[in-house]
């Protein structure tokens, strides 16, 4: 028997578990450990609440977690309830699938003013992550600035712009829905330090901005490169740029909210009296490699809210080699130390879609198989259970999660799939109704 512990129940963790099932068949026992009492990581608290079709992938994960070979072990914090060294003693392989839940720091003066939030916090707030349920971002407007030209910036702008009706079938949490409907934001500026050809936004996500009930996307035609240069782009990027071109020609609108794409625009300072009031922006120019540098021309954007969507980092874990420059665990193709592996964003950084984690999970399962041979006489889950019971940890199983989920479904507002619990205490209470 091989004993595998996967830390993190997001997409990377579940795809790793599924791959271990396929590679080892009945000859493996996988424990998926999560700090929260609820599974699915990024699927639950990262993917936008109005993108329910992407969240549907959790049904496939449930099928994995309800077999004898794979268990969910929730409400267990690494470094508090059990250490990495203890897990490495108990299991043949320990796989770090902890994602990249911390924001890359925005390195400009004023970035710590109240009203400046990172996307991990803002996304966590509207998705009901217990760490951010109390965030209460200032939505009094009239300006909001979203920094970054990736898909997270689009998610944030779209969520700020949607009407209550547009959230109808979503699982946005009640506190966020109420706050957003009481908001007074009329201008959402998306700042990109480079140009339309350098965006990291995908076509489907960009296209959605053109279909919002009460918001219109605005692109300055003068920012767009000449059309013939689009031919050098890959097909996906070309489609994205075509959306921007369409936004640039369709400017007349009586919709009350404007989503303004401000390209060649780099934040250099955030200012305000005790809270954010404005962002100081410097115009940029690109060199022949597409890198931006400031031109010296500066202007100000009024804002009561700034959301920085400039990428994520994996938090370090004591005793695990860490690559500080890249913000993830130091690894060679997923191998960190003997018997210790990293997968998903914790391995490669915050890139790619949910599906990118599938081949990643398989690659790690195959490396574990190559390193492990026939397995060992390690204690695996029996040893973990004894250790956690001795420490009085209130472990949450997948069956417990199903009770929590049933309570969330029962509490849903009309048309919504669920109303999430936003505190660990409420989640734990729901498993023992
Ligand atoms: P991302 O795609 O890496 O985009 C980060 C953006 O931040 C880039 O435009 C980058 O510009 C900009 N940036 C970085 N540092 C900056 C700074 N100091 N000042 C100003 N701008 C800065 O990251 P993400 O949006 O966080 O997304 C993470 C991953 O999740 C991506 O793979 C994304 O596609 C995926 N995702 C997918 C979906 C979906 O499929 N619906 C939704 C959300 C996220 P430069 O290019 O100039 O560095």
């Amino acid at each position: 028997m091989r004993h595998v512990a996967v830390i993190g129940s997001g997409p990377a963790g579940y795809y790793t578990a599924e791959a271990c099932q396929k590679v080892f068949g009945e000859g493996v026992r996988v424990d998926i450990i999560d700090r929260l009492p609820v599974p699915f990581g990024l699927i639950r608290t990262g993917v936008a609440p109005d993108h329910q079709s992407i969240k549907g992938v959790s049904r496939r994960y449930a099928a994995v977690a309800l077999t004898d070979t794979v268990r969910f072990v929730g409400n267990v914090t690494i470094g508090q309830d059990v250490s990495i060294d203890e897990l490495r003693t108990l299991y043949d392989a320990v796989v770090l699938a902890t994602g990249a839940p911390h924001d890359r720091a925005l390195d400009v003066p004023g970035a710590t003013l109240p009203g400046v939030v990172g996307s991990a916090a803002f996304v966590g707030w509207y998705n009901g992550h217990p760490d951010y349920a109390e965030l209460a971002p200032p939505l009094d407007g009239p300006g909001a600035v979203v920094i970054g030209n990736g898909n997270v910036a689009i998610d944030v702008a779209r969520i700020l712009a949607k009407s209550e009706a547009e959230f109808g079938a979503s699982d946005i949490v009640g506190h966020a829905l109420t706050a957003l409907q009481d908001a007074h934001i009329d201008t959402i500026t998306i700042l990109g330090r480079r140009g339309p050809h350098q965006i990291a936004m995908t076509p489907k996500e960009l296209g959605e901005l053109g279909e919002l009930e009460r918001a219109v996307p605005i692109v300055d035609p003068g920012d767009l490169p000449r059309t013939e240069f689009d031919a050098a782009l890959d097909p996906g990027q070309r489609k994205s740029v075509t959306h921007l071109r369409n936004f640039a020609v369709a400017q007349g609108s009586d919709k009350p909210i404007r989503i303004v794409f401000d390209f060649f625009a780099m934040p250099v300072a955030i200012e305000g009296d005790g809270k954010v009031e404005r962002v100081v922006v410097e115009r940029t120019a690109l060199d022949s490699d597409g890198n931006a540098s400031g031109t010296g021309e500066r202007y100000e954007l009024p804002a009561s809210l700034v959301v920085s969507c400039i990428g994520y980092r994996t938090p370090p874990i004591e005793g695990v080699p860490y690559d500080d420059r890249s913000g993830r665990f130091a690894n060679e193709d997923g191998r960190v130390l003997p018997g210790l592996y990293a997968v998903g964003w914790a391995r490669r950084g915050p890139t790619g879609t949910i599906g990118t984690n599938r081949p990643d999970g398989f690659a790690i399962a195959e490396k574990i198989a190559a390193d492990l041979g026939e397995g060992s006489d390690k204690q695996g889950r029996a040893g973990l259970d004894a250790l956690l019971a001795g420490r009085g940890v209130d472990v949450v199983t997948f069956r417990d999660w199903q009770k929590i989920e049933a309570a969330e479904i029962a509490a849903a507002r009309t048309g919504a799939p669920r109303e999430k619990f936003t505190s660990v205490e409420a989640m734990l209470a729901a498993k023992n109704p």
Side-chain angles (χ1 to χ4, degrees), residues 335-360:
R335 291 187 173 96
V336 178
L337 290 173
L340 184 64
Y341 304 83
V343 71
W345 284 9
R347 176 185 79 77
R348 63 174 197 276
T351 59
T353 62
I354 304 283
T356 316
N357 294 298
R358 190 155 188 252
D360 226 28

Side-chain angles (χ1 to χ4, degrees), residues 111-129:
T112 55
L113 275 174
V116 183
V117 297
S119 52
F122 192 73
V123 171
W125 170 73
Y126 62 63
N127 267 329
H129 192 298

